[in-house]
C-alpha cells in the first residue's frame, strides 16, 4: 500500500484544491507516481472522464497536475446542487437520484463510507502516493457523525492531516487552533500540522505567531505560501462573491490587433462549468466579466449564456431581469451570442421538462430552432468533431435532448445568424477553433481584434500547474511533507482542550 496525506482546510476556499494540486505536481516532477482523491465533492463544475464518468473539475485538474488520467475513483461521490436544500447525487460517475440535505446526511452519506474507502484502497494499490482533499472544514462538528470526506476518511486510512488556512481572510491562528481543539482526541491524533496560504509581506513578521501556535498545539507549520496572482485554476463551488463587475482573471498581455474584445457571461442561477470561458480569458485582448443586468450587455462584443443545473430557473431569471429581451435585441441586430449546454437549451424554442424542474412545457427564448426534452438518463460523453473548419474536442453533461430543426450545423447544435448554441463544454479549449470563432465574433461586432496566433490553452494550464508545484517546492518543507506521506501520522501529538466527544466507532480496513 502507498502512503498518503489529507489536505484539510480551516474553511471552504482556504486553498485545499490548489494545495492538493501543487503537492501532486511537486511529487510528479520528482518521479513519484501520485493520484488525487476527494471522497465527496459538492460542485456544479464537473468533468467527464474518458470512460464516461462525471467527476468534479477540481479532481480532473489535480489529475492533470499529477500527470495521470482522471477517473471516477478519484471522486466517487459528487453532489450537484439543484437548490438550497437538494442535490443530485452522482456515485462512481453516474447520477443515482436527487436527495435533500437532511436525507443525505441522515443516513445515505455514512452508508457510502465503504464505497469511498474501497476507491481509496484501489488507488493506493496502484500509486506510490495518494493526496486527498477534504471539504469545507474538518471541524464541522454537526456533520462529524456522518463524515466521509474529512476526518472520516483520514481515520479509515490512517492518513496524517495537513490543515490549510487562508491568512488573507484574517484570523488564521485562531482558525488553526480552533479547528484542532474542536476535534475529538482520536481525530486530533491525525492532525500533523498547518500550512499558511496567501501570505503577503515579510514572513519573518509571521514567525512569532507560528512559534506560539507550535507551543499551544504541539504542531508545526509546514510552510507559508505567498499570495500568487495568475492562478486561473478550475474552481469547485462557483463564484461566491457578488458577480456584478467580477472579471475572470485574464493573461496580462496587450491585444494583437487594435481593439480588445469584451465578453459578458450571464451569471444565471445554478451556473455550471463557468470554466468554459477560461479559454477566452486566456486570449490576449479578451476581457471576460460576469453580469446580471441587461444594461451590462450593451457594450459586450460577445454574450455567453453558460451551463446551468436549472435550465427553466435560468430562463425565468433571464426574463425577470430583462436579460431575455436584451438577448433578443442582440440576435435581431446580428450581435454575437453563444449558448453552452443549459444556455443552449434556453435559446431554443421550447423545453419539455418533467425531470429537472418538473415544470412541464415551457417556451424558450426562440432564438434558435431547437426543441429540448429532458430525459431521465444523463448524457455523459467526450465528443470529437469539427467546426468552422477546425478540429474540436469537448465533453457533454446534460439531461436535455435537443432536436435541431434548422439553422447551420454547429457541433451538436446550430447557428442562426450570430446566435450559436451547443451542448459541448470545453470546446473553446481547442486552440485553432477558438481563434476562428473569435475572428467571427470580431467581424460581427465590428472590432479590429485579432486572436494571438500562438496562444495554447493547454500550455498555459501546464504553466499554472507548474507554478503550483513551484509554490510547494519553494515555500513548504518538502522533506517534512514527504516524511508525513511516507510514514503516516506522528506519535505523541498532544491533545488540545476541549476536544469533541467521539462521533462514531472508528472504521478501518485491514487492506489500508
Amino acid at each position: 500500500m502507498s502512503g498518503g496525506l489529507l489536505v484539510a482546510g480551516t474553511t471552504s476556499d482556504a486553498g485545499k484544491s490548489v494545495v492538493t494540486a501543487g503537492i501532486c505536481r511537486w511529487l510528479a516532477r520528482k518521479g513519484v507516481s501520485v493520484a488525487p482523491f476527494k471522497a465527496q465533492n459538492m460542485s456544479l463544475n464537473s468533468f467527464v472522464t474518458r470512460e464516461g464518468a462525471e467527476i468534479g473539475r477540481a479532481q480532473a485538474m489535480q489529475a492533470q497536475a499529477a500527470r495521470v488520467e482522471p477517473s471516477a475513483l478519484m471522486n466517487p461521490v459528487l453532489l450537484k446542487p439543484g437548490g438550497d436544500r437538494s442535490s443530485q447525487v452522482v456515485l462512481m460517475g453516474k447520477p443515482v437520484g436527487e436527495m435533500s440535505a437532511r436525507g443525505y446526511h441522515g443516513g445515505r452519506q455514512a452508508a457510502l463510507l465503504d464505497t469511498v474507502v474501497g476507491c481509496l484502497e484501489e488507488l493506493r494499490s496502484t500509486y506510490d502516493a495518494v493526496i486527498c482533499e477534504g471539504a469545507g472544514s474538518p471541524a464541522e462538528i454537526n456533520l462529524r457523525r456522518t463524515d466521509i470526506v474529512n476526518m472520516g476518511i483520514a481515520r479509515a486510512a490512517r492518513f496524517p492531516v495537513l490543515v490549510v488556512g487562508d491568512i488573507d481572510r484574517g484570523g488564521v491562528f485562531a482558525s488553526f487552533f480552533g479547528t484542532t481543539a474542536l476535534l475529538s482526541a482520536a481525530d486530533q491524533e491525525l492532525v500533523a500540522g498547518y500550512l499558511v496560504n496567501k501570505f503577503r509581506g515579510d514572513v519573518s513578521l509571521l514567525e512569532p505567531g507560528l512559534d506560539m501556535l507550535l507551543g499551544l498545539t504541539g504542531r508545526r507549520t509546514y510552510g507559508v505560501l505567498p499570495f500568487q496572482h495568475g492562478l486561473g485554476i478550475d474552481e469547485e463551488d462557483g463564484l461566491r462573491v457578488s458577480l456584478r463587475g467580477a472579471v475572470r482573471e485574464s493573461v496580462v498581455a496587450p491585444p494583437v490587433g487594435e481593439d480588445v474584445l469584451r465578453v459578458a457571461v450571464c451569471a444565471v442561477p445554478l451556473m455550471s462549468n463557468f470554466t468554459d470561458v477560461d479559454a477566452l480569458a486566456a486570449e490576449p485582448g479578451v476581457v471576460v466579466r460576469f453580469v446580471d443586468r441587461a444594461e451590462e450587455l450593451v457594450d459586450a462584443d460577445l454574450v455567453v449564456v453558460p451551463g446551468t443545473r436549472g435550465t427553466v430557473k435560468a430562463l425565468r431569471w433571464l426574463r425577470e431581469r430583462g436579460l431575455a429581451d436584451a438577448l433578443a435585441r442582440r440576435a435581431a441586430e446580428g450581435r454575437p451570442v453563444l449558448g453552452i449546454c443549459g444556455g443552449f437549451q434556453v435559446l431554443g424554442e421550447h423545453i419539455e421538462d418533467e425531470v429537472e424542474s418538473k415544470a412541464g412545457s415551457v417556451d424558450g427564448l426562440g432564438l434558435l430552432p431547437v426543441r429540448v426534452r429532458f430525459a431521465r438518463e444523463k448524457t455523459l460523453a467526450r465528443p470529437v468533431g469539427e467546426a468552422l473548419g477546425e478540429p474540436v474536442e469537448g465533453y457533454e453533461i446534460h439531461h436535455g435532448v435537443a432536436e435541431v430543426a434548422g439553422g447551420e450545423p454547429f457541433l451538436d447544435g446550430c447557428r442562426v445568424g450570430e446566435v450559436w448554441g451547443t451542448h459541448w463544454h470545453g470546446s473553446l479549449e481547442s486552440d485553432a477553433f477558438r481563434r476562428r470563432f473569435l475572428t467571427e465574433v470580431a467581424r460581427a461586432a465590428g472590432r479590429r481584434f485579432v486572436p494571438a496566433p500562438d496562444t495554447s490553452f493547454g500550455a498555459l494550464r501546464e504553466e499554472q500547474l507548474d507554478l503550483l508545484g513551484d509554490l510547494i517546492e519553494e515555500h513548504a518543507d518538502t522533506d517534512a511533507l514527504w516524511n508525513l506521506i511516507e510514514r503516516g501520522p506522528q506519535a505523541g501529538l498532544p491533545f488540545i482542550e476541549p476536544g469533541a466527544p467521539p462521533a462514531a466507532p472508528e472504521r478501518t480496513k485491514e487492506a489500508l
Side-chain angles (χ1 to χ4, degrees):
M1 280 294 174
S2 71
L5 177 72
L6 174 72
V7 179
T10 56
T11 63
S12 295
D13 292 335
K16 297 182 294 291
S17 295
V18 295
V19 168
T20 299
I23 293 174
C24 285
R25 177 49 60 100
W26 158 61
L27 290 173
R29 293 196 304 208
K30 295 296 183 183
V32 177
S33 171
V34 58
F37 178 77
K38 185 161 186 172
Q40 172 192 296
N41 195 350
M42 178 173 281
S43 178
L44 287 172
N45 280 340
S46 58
F47 181 76
V48 179
T49 68
R50 295 204 179 277
E51 68 267 27
E54 185 179 8
I55 66 173
R57 272 199 70 96
Q59 279 60 66
M61 174 269 292
Q62 291 160 356
Q64 185 178 350
R67 295 175 177 158
V68 297
E69 189 68 30
S71 80
L73 293 172
M74 298 171 183
N75 180 206
V77 181
L78 173 64
L79 306 178
K80 303 193 73 175
D84 292 337
R85 297 185 178 181
S86 67
S87 294
Q88 182 181 66
V89 181
V90 179
L91 180 62
M92 295 303 296
K94 304 296 181 183
V96 295
E98 296 280 334
M99 188 166 289
S100 68
R102 180 180 292 275
Y104 184 71
H105 290 286
R108 182 63 184 269
Q109 185 182 38
L112 294 173
L113 181 61
D114 288 341
T115 298
V116 301
V117 168
C119 291
L120 179 55
E121 179 181 346
E122 188 168 343
L123 290 174
R124 293 185 71 184
S125 68
T126 306
Y127 296 92
D128 297 332
V130 180
I131 308 302
C132 304
E133 179 189 344
S137 163
E140 306 288 358
I141 54 179
N142 57 314
L143 303 177
R144 177 62 184 91
R145 182 178 61 82
T146 56
D147 170 49
I148 63 172
V149 65
N150 289 306
M151 302 312 299
I153 197 69
R155 289 268 289 273
R158 298 301 300 170
F159 273 1
V161 177
L162 181 70
V163 181
V164 178
D166 179 357
I167 197 170
D168 201 46
R169 296 182 174 195
V172 73
F173 294 114
S175 297
F176 283 145
F177 182 86
T179 297
T180 309
L182 282 175
L183 301 179
S184 68
D187 285 348
Q188 285 192 29
E189 288 176 1
L190 302 179
V191 177
Y194 314 107
L195 186 73
V196 176
N197 192 29
K198 298 183 185 177
F199 179 72
R200 306 171 190 251
D202 186 345
V203 176
S204 66
L205 299 177
L206 195 64
E207 289 173 352
L210 301 179
D211 292 340
M212 290 177 65
L213 185 65
L214 174 62
L216 288 167
T217 67
R219 291 160 174 85
R220 57 165 298 181
T221 298
Y222 284 77
V224 178
L225 307 185
F227 188 95
Q228 180 68 59
H229 290 284
L231 297 180
I233 298 298
D234 295 350
E235 293 164 90
E236 186 168 274
D237 299 323
L239 297 176
R240 296 178 178 273
V241 297
S242 170
L243 289 159
R244 185 168 291 125
V247 177
R248 196 74 177 144
E249 192 163 11
S250 305
V251 294
V252 182
V256 174
E258 297 180 42
D259 290 341
V260 299
L261 209 62
R262 297 173 176 84
V263 178
V265 184
C266 296
V268 296
L270 299 174
M271 181 167 51
S272 62
N273 288 66
F274 60 82
T275 47
D276 281 332
V277 300
D278 285 354
L280 296 178
E283 284 285 348
V286 176
V287 178
V288 178
R289 60 180 179 172
F290 292 87
V291 303
D292 59 5
R293 296 184 298 187
E295 57 266 33
E296 294 175 297
L297 304 189
V298 173
D299 67 345
D301 302 307
L302 168 67
V303 173
V304 177
V305 187
T308 171
R309 246 283 272 160
T311 299
V312 172
K313 182 180 289 188
L315 185 56
R316 186 182 308 119
W317 181 88
L318 289 168
R319 286 177 168 141
E320 289 172 349
R321 289 176 170 263
L323 289 159
D325 290 338
L327 289 169
R329 286 194 297 271
R330 288 186 66 89
E333 295 166 0
R335 303 177 66 200
V337 175
L338 171 64
I340 303 174
C341 200
F344 166 42
Q345 296 166 8
V346 161
L347 299 180
E349 296 172 345
H350 187 78
I351 297 169
E352 195 69 33
D353 181 13
E354 298 292 348
V355 176
E356 187 177 77
S357 69
K358 297 181 173 58
S361 183
V362 179
D363 288 334
L365 298 185
L367 305 185
L368 291 174
V370 175
R371 298 177 71 85
V372 176
R373 175 184 55 82
F374 274 69
R376 296 197 178 278
E377 184 175 347
K378 181 184 284 190
T379 297
L380 297 169
R382 289 279 294 270
V384 177
E386 182 179 295
L388 301 179
E390 301 292 349
V392 188
E393 295 183 11
Y395 58 98
E396 295 183 69
I397 307 169
H398 54 92
H399 284 279
V401 179
E403 178 186 339
V404 179
E408 179 184 341
F410 176 64
L411 300 176
D412 69 330
C414 64
R415 171 189 183 182
V416 174
E418 297 305 325
V419 180
W420 317 61
T422 177
H423 273 130
W424 290 23
H425 294 289
S427 62
L428 294 167
E429 295 179 18
S430 298
D431 296 326
F433 163 71
R434 183 181 65 254
R435 286 192 279 269
R436 286 291 298 273
F437 176 71
L438 289 176
T439 299
E440 288 275 313
V441 168
R443 177 195 55 76
R447 295 288 186 187
R448 291 170 293 183
F449 169 85
V450 178
D454 56 355
T455 300
S456 167
F457 184 76
L460 289 171
R461 174 52 53 87
E462 280 296 305
E463 289 176 11
Q464 291 170 326
L465 294 173
D466 275 330
L467 182 57
L468 293 181
D470 292 342
L471 285 174
I472 297 298
E473 192 163 351
E474 296 171 10
H475 300 282
D477 187 337
T478 52
D479 289 339
L481 281 179
W482 178 247
N483 282 337
L484 280 181
I485 294 167
E486 189 175 37
R487 299 177 184 177
Q490 299 169 285
L493 292 172
F495 172 69
I496 309 302
E497 296 283 356
E506 185 167 352
R507 301 277 303 274
T508 61
K509 284 201 169 189
E510 290 183 5
L512 288 172

